[in-house]
Structure formats: structure tokens, C-alpha cells
Amino acid sequence: MNKNVTRALWAGLLCLLALAPFVVGTVEISAFQKVVYLSVAVMSLNVLTGFNGQASIGHSAFMGIAAYFTALAVQSHGWSYWAALPASILVAALVGALAGVPALRIRGMNLALVTLGLGMVFPQLPIRFTEETGGTQGMPVDEPLAAPAFLNVSDVAWRYWVLLALAALVFWLVRNFRASRVGRAVIAIRDQPIAAHTAGVNVAATKIAVFAVSAGMAGLAGWMFTVANQFVSPSDFTVLVSINLLLGMAIGGSGTLAGPVIGAVFLHYIPEAVNGTGIDPVLTPALYGLILILVVYFLPGGAAGGLAQLSARFAASRRSPDEPGQAPPSTPRLTSSTSHP
Amino acid sequence: MPRLSVEELELSFGGIRALNKLSFAVAEGELCALVGPNGAGKSSVFNCITGLYRPSAGRVVFDGRDLLRLPAHRVAAQGVARTFQNLALFPRLTVLENVLLGGHLNERPGPLACALHLPRHRRAERALRAQADEVLALTGLESLAGNPASGLPYGTLKRVELARALMSRPRLLLLDEPAAGLPHGEVGELGDLIARIRAELGISIVLVEHHMGMVMSISDKVVVLNLGRRICEGTPEEVSRDPEVIAAYLGEAA
Ligand SMILES: Nc1ncnc2c1ncn2[C@@H]1O[C@H](COP(=O)(O)OP(=O)(O)OP(=O)(O)O)[C@@H](O)[C@H]1O
Ligand SMILES: [Mg+2]
């Protein structure tokens, strides 16, 4: 698609979303908030897994660490949300960097298992420290992120705008990074680590840095979670949440820019839609599974990949017939399957 | 002083001695061919030079510096670039992006400059783009810059890999069987391209290749390996007359 058209579309979408509080009610805005922090969470996973090829089933833990950090800082220690913002991101990023160290030695399934361990351990921590965190009961945060008085807008609208602005910022950063020297190196490591290494990419350092950045982004989603809900509990950050993020990434399109946003919309609205049809909600996971299988089978690039193909086809059909259109690429193997170079 | 000198390299895999006290040297601007039967250890030499394999003994001295203590990305920083016997491209990047990655160390805006789209990043990206355009023109890939690297013909992909290696503006270029798998008509063209690269850029090249016609016509020097040992070294004419070479290699393989 034309670069300017894409840019205009995104800007238009952002404007529409920003105007939403004037049009729709509080219930819808709460739902939008959830989609926004889910977008950031799926984007964080996409940077690690989609772009860099490192698997994680532990992103719920990075989110949870930052969400609990924020809740404790604001509720028990009198911090402002704004002070907790950089601090909670930093804490999540630090834990992410530590988690990235074993990822240098192990890969694929085993890395997934290590992060799975992280995801499983995290919900136990608040229970272990029940006195401070309320344990399984969860922990409410009394103070809201209040709108500045001079703006004269509702707190709900203000929170939504803050979340939306931060998410848009993250999206822009990811987009810039994708089209840069560092982004290319990150993707090169995913596709051909040995070739990347001999081309001068410090593979080990990059992988740890990506782990830290991704965890920090998940931490931002965690901060957003606490801002939006003013409540945290261990059940908000179970492994199931991580798996949902993976699902959102796969369905939206892993390794794409728009995919995580589409995935987040899916994650929030499909269960709602299922409820609406009167199907037993117990069947939602089965439905997810079915959709996932269909997407992996028919749309390996996810929804975003499918859209890109469609628009490429559209552009090609509008071109004069003698000009070669960029057919959607088939993917022959570029790399040998032997393990040594 | 030679640009590259490989001294007494020893490398084993289990019981297999892949390299056995292997030595050879490459002068500045020289095109040195490394030939030998399958399993002779040619790719292993490249893997030792570029820091992917750790030989148990020996030295690899490049411009007076021992490369064996450096990790692969630091070897690249010294000015060594290579291609792989089996293609190792980044399939989901475009041809241009593959080539740009070869220039990873040419310009070095950090992650923050990149993510924030700072002027420093934009300047670097423009400079890289100009360098990539030159390399794409040299390798005849201009018209394919925007194509995804997957789905192109094998011979083209081999040239993309060559372009990626050239992008780093190396002082030593290691080519591992660049003509393997090419249709017969393209082999001569590739030989011309390699000769031109050497002439125009004045870099040292080590060429591993089974196509004897190409080796004999463009090399200054030929080093013949068998079972990890150097069995002969000399000009193409000298080597092709050597009885041991004829017995060990040309006799059975050609
Ligand atoms: N990673 C590895 N693990 C085990 N053995 C290896 C490895 N790499 C090389 N070898 C062995 O070392 C020897 C030399 O292999 P090498 O690939 O260097 O040969 P080559 O001269 O490049 O051969 P070809 O012409 O087939 O590419 C062979 O016996 C090979 O099996
Ligand atoms: Mg080989």
C-alpha cells in the first residue's frame, strides 16, 4: 500500500479513537481501554517473538510485575501513577533482561518452557505476600489517575486518552525501529542467526536487549492495566493470559506492525461476540482453538498478512497489465536445513 | 606482510581431523582459490577465520591481528566478509534490506536514535542507502531491490548474498562455492563479476570453488587441500601440472 495512504489511515483511525469519549458511553470506553493495553501487550510479545524469534509464555509475568509494582507504589507508598510509570517499566525490563540470559543458551521449546516457568511462578508471589497484596482476593487501588482539573474532562475519558496516547507512541516507536538498522538486525537474528553474526551483529547482546525491551513494553501494558482497572489480582496474570497474547499475535499477524492491534481487538471482542450469540461461554476456548487452526492453515501471515496481500493484489490489478505486479511471495526455502554453516 | 595468514590450523570433530596443520597466506589484493575434494576442509577454514569454529591450535592473522580470539561479529568489524555454501539469506526481508544488513557496522545509530527516528538515524539510513545502491548496481540487482528475498531464482539469491558481503566494504572477502548450483551460462558471468570486484575494489579474495574453469581463469594462486592438509600451492598452471593434485583431486573428481 502507498506509504502516505497507510499513514493517513492510521492518523484517521487515531483521531476517531480519540474522539470516542464524546460519542460512546463509559462502558464502551472501558472496553476500549482494555483493547489498548492488550494491544501494547501483544506488541511487546511481537517484538520478542514475531521480530526476534524468541518464544515467551511468560509475558503475563512481566505485565503482572509492573501492574503489582504500580498498585503497591500508589496504594501503599503514596506514589503518583506518573512516578510509577517509568519505575514499573524499568522493573519489568530488568526482570526481562535476566530472563533473556538463559535464552542465549536455549532456544525454541526449551526457552518456551523456561518462560512458562516464569509465567507459572508469578501468580504465586502475591499469594505468598498476602499481607501486602491481598493474596488471591486481589488488591484495589483507591486513587484513580485523575484528569487535571483545568481540562474539565471526566477521569474515564482522561485515562483512556493517556492510554491511547502511550499506545500510539509505542506503535510509532516499533514502526521506526522496524525500518531501521537495529530492527533489521533483530529480524536477521530470527531468520539466520549465523549469517547475522558474521555480518557484524552482536547476536547475544541484541537478544538480551530485545528481551529487556519487550518485557519493559509488557510492563507498560501492566501499568496501563492498573490505571484502567484500579485493581490487580493473581488471576489477572496467569499463564492463560500469556497464551492469549500469543493467540492474539498469531491471529493478528506475527512479525507485522498492525497485527498486534488486530489481535487485541480479537482478544477482547470475540469472547463478547460469543456471549452475544448465546453459545455456552465454556466453548470459547474451543472456538479460539478452531480459529487459530484455521488462521495458521489459511492465513500464515495472520490477519495483517492477509490484508497486506489483498492490498498488494488490489494495487497490482490497478496497474497496467504489462507492468509486473508484485505477486504475493510464495516461500521456497532460502536456507539449507543442515545445522552447520 | 600478507594480508591474511593461516598458520598450522588444527580442527577435529570427534575422530575426524577436519584440518591438519593447515597453513596458507593471501597477499593484499590477491585472489586465492582454495580447492579440494568434498570434505577436504574448505568450508571449515572459512568457519575458523570468521569465528564460527574454534580450532584447537594454530593462528589466523589478519592485518597483523589474531582473529581466533574474536567472536564472529568482531571478526566482521576487522573487515572480513563471507558468503555461505548453502544460502543464508533473510527470507522475509527485501533484497535491499538484506544488502543493508551487510552494512550493519558501516553506520551505527543506536537503538534509541532508530526508534525515535532522530536525524542521526535518518542520515545513517541515507548513507547506507547510497552505499547499497552502488553495491546493487555492481551486482546487477538494482531492479530487484524491493522484492522479498524469497521467491527469486537461485542464481539471483547467490548474487544477493555476494552483495550483502560487499556491502560491508571488506578488505577480505571469503566466497564459499559461489558458482555451485548455477546454470552453466551464469558461471562465466559470475567469474567475470568476481574478477571485476577484485580489480575495482582491490580487496583480497579467497575463493572456494569446484568449477575448475573459473578457478583457473581468475585466480592468482591456488591452494589445494585434501583431508584437511595442504597438498599443493602455486599458480593455476603449476597446480594443474602437479602429480599429487592430479591423483588426489583432479584425477578422481574431474
Ligand atoms: N559442524 C560439523 N560437525 C561435524 N563435522 C563437521 C562439521 N563441519 C565439518 N565437519 C567435517 O569436517 C570435514 C571437512 O568439512 P568441510 O565442510 O570443511 O569440507 P568442504 O571442503 O567444505 O567440503 P565440500 O566441498 O563438500 O563443501 C568433513 O569431514 C565434515 O564432515
Ligand atoms: Mg564446503
Side-chain angles (χ1 to χ4, degrees):
Chain A
M1 208 186 314
N2 186 306
K3 205 171 148 190
N4 287 328
V5 175
T6 318
R7 201 175 286 181
L9 278 178
W10 281 112
L13 179 64
L14 192 59
C15 284
L16 278 181
L17 286 174
L19 292 175
F22 300 112
V23 184
V24 300
T26 313
V27 179
E28 283 81 9
I29 292 301
S30 300
F32 284 10
Q33 283 182 357
K34 188 173 164 204
V35 172
V36 169
Y37 69 70
L38 279 175
S39 295
V40 174
V42 181
M43 274 192 260
S44 77
L45 187 62
N46 189 39
V47 165
L48 183 72
T49 308
F51 289 138
N52 200 213
Q54 306 192 70
S56 167
I57 320 181
H59 265 50
S60 53
F62 302 131
M63 266 181 93
I65 286 165
Y68 264 95
F69 181 95
T70 305
L72 285 166
V74 173
Q75 180 72 5
S76 316
H77 298 277
W79 289 36
S80 81
Y81 279 100
W82 292 113
L85 174 61
S88 60
I89 291 175
L90 217 65
V91 170
L94 218 65
V95 177
L98 291 178
V101 173
L104 294 180
R105 302 227 143 260
I106 52 178
R107 245 178 255 169
M109 195 49 150
N110 287 334
L111 175 57
L113 289 178
V114 169
T115 57
L116 175 66
L118 194 66
M120 284 171 71
V121 166
F122 178 76
Q124 302 306 316
L125 290 181
I127 299 174
R128 168 78 181 67
F129 298 99
T130 297
E131 223 155 272
E132 291 85 358
T133 65
T136 50
Q137 297 298 307
M139 170 179 186
V141 183
D142 300 324
E143 174 138 338
L145 178 72
F150 66 89
L151 276 180
N152 201 15
V153 293
S154 76
D155 284 354
V156 179
W158 170 247
R159 282 200 291 273
Y160 168 69
W161 281 327
V162 167
L163 264 50
L164 187 64
L166 286 171
L169 175 70
V170 169
F171 183 91
W172 181 74
L173 293 174
V174 172
R175 166 191 160 277
N176 291 343
F177 149 90
R178 163 65 186 85
S180 76
R181 161 187 184 266
V182 181
R184 283 190 297 269
V186 165
I187 293 175
I189 289 173
R190 172 195 71 192
D191 287 351
Q192 264 297 328
I194 291 169
H197 203 185
T198 53
V201 177
N202 187 342
V203 174
T206 307
K207 282 173 94 169
I208 291 194
V210 169
F211 227 110
V213 167
S214 170
M217 289 168 67
L220 172 62
W223 179 86
M224 290 174 157
F225 181 97
T226 305
V227 168
N229 298 315
Q230 284 178 244
F231 180 80
V232 289
S233 77
S235 64
D236 294 321
F237 305 103
T238 60
V239 172
L240 201 62
V241 172
S242 293
I243 291 174
N244 273 338
L245 296 180
L246 277 166
L247 189 75
M249 182 182 71
I251 287 172
S254 86
T256 66
L257 285 175
V261 181
I262 301 172
V265 170
F266 173 92
L267 286 180
H268 179 72
Y269 285 104
I270 291 302
E272 297 249 302
V274 171
N275 285 345
T277 58
I279 300 176
D280 189 342
V282 174
L283 290 177
T284 311
L287 190 71
Y288 269 21
L290 188 67
I291 294 175
L292 182 64
I293 291 168
L294 290 178
V295 165
V296 168
Y297 204 78
F298 292 107
L299 267 184
L307 282 177
Q309 268 189 18
L310 263 185
S311 81
R313 220 170 277 172
F314 177 70
S317 72
R318 286 204 316 179
R319 245 181 258 143
S320 57
D322 53 347
E323 204 181 328
Q326 269 200 21
S330 57
T331 37
R333 292 190 61 80
L334 270 190
T335 50
S336 77
S337 48
T338 49
S339 55
H340 63 87
Chain B
M1 188 180 70
R3 170 133 284 176
L4 172 77
S5 85
V6 170
E7 299 165 9
E8 311 252 307
L9 275 194
E10 294 269 354
L11 178 73
S12 303
F13 293 102
I16 301 168
R17 275 189 112 170
L19 298 178
N20 189 347
K21 290 213 188 311
L22 177 71
S23 304
F24 66 93
V26 183
E28 186 176 339
E30 189 174 42
L31 203 168
C32 169
L34 204 57
V35 302
N38 292 110
K42 306 175 300 286
S43 297
S44 297
V45 175
F46 279 12
N47 289 336
C48 290
I49 296 173
T50 53
L52 298 177
Y53 289 174
R54 296 280 165 221
S56 54
R59 301 203 312 156
V60 172
V61 182
F62 177 65
D63 279 347
R65 191 175 175 146
D66 192 352
L67 294 184
L68 287 186
R69 270 178 251 141
L70 304 179
H73 61 277
R74 299 274 314 281
V75 173
Q78 300 302 310
V80 180
R82 71 174 287 181
T83 64
F84 292 85
Q85 182 169 351
N86 304 304
L87 283 173
L89 287 167
F90 313 115
R92 283 193 277 175
L93 295 178
T94 63
V95 168
L96 175 66
E97 286 173 314
N98 267 276
V99 174
L100 285 173
L101 190 105
H104 186 74
L105 300 175
N106 298 14
E107 303 282 337
R108 309 185 184 190
L112 215 58
C114 287
L116 292 173
H117 211 64
L118 297 183
R120 188 168 139 54
H121 151 74
R122 273 177 284 172
R123 263 200 312 276
E125 206 60 17
R126 267 199 304 277
L128 280 176
R129 195 48 212 270
Q131 293 164 20
D133 285 344
E134 269 175 41
V135 172
L136 287 169
L138 181 65
T139 48
L141 293 166
E142 307 102 313
S143 61
L144 298 172
N147 271 56
S150 53
L152 292 170
Y154 191 75
T156 309
L157 295 175
K158 284 258 177 188
R159 265 185 295 147
V160 175
E161 232 198 357
L162 177 59
R164 182 179 69 194
L166 286 176
M167 180 69 186
S168 65
R169 297 179 292 194
R171 282 174 296 148
L172 173 66
L173 178 62
L174 309 174
L175 302 174
D176 199 347
E177 306 203 14
L182 289 196
H184 210 75
E186 289 182 31
V187 174
E189 239 174 88
L190 180 73
D192 294 345
L193 176 60
I194 294 171
R196 222 171 77 223
I197 288 168
R198 199 270 296 261
E200 282 182 25
L201 307 179
I203 58 183
S204 308
I205 298 178
V206 183
L207 170 69
V208 166
E209 191 44 75
H210 285 296
H211 273 271
M212 278 307 142
M214 177 169 150
V215 167
M216 293 305 174
S217 64
I218 64 173
S219 317
D220 302 314
K221 176 166 96 178
V222 180
V223 174
V224 187
L225 300 191
N226 191 22
L227 301 174
R229 280 177 41 247
R230 184 185 68 183
I231 57 171
C232 173
E233 175 180 331
T235 64
E237 298 80 56
E238 287 165 2
V239 166
S240 57
R241 282 197 306 266
D242 189 289
E244 204 180 343
V245 173
I246 296 168
Y249 181 53
L250 300 174
E252 61 171 28

